[in-house]
Amino acid sequence: MTVTGIITALIVGLIVGALGRLVVPGRQSMSILVTMVVGVIAALLGTVVANAIGISTDTPGVDWGELLVQVVLAAVGVALVAGLSGRSRRAL
């Protein structure tokens, strides 16, 4: 992977994390930095999953199927992290 590819993956991950946070209902008690990290991880995993199930193809422009998988994974990740951080705060 080139430097440009890594930077692109980070930018897409940040956007995917923000979209994932918007999709999850309610308030999330997590920082924007954690949301960004979840988004980057979801973007990378979403690409792998989309390639594995045959959604991702090399097409010019935006690959909407892959982006949908990434946003769904980001929403799940945001919900899990927000839920886990909420439970830990209640226990205190």
Side-chain angles (χ1 to χ4, degrees):
M1 195 172 218
T2 64
V3 173
T4 305
I6 293 171
I7 292 171
T8 303
L10 290 173
I11 292 170
V12 168
L14 299 178
I15 294 168
V16 166
L19 290 172
R21 188 171 178 148
L22 289 174
V23 171
V24 175
R27 289 188 66 179
Q28 296 86 30
S29 60
M30 55 193 281
S31 69
I32 295 296
L33 181 61
V34 174
T35 302
M36 291 180 202
V37 170
V38 169
V40 170
I41 292 169
L44 295 173
L45 285 176
T47 300
V48 171
V49 169
N51 284 330
I53 62 177
I55 291 177
S56 180
T57 58
D58 290 329
T59 58
V62 177
D63 190 355
W64 295 106
E66 181 179 352
L67 184 62
L68 179 65
V69 171
Q70 291 171 339
V71 171
V72 168
L73 286 176
V76 170
V78 166
L80 286 174
V81 171
L84 291 175
S85 66
R87 287 185 188 156
S88 65
R89 288 186 181 172
R90 286 186 207 138
L92 296 175

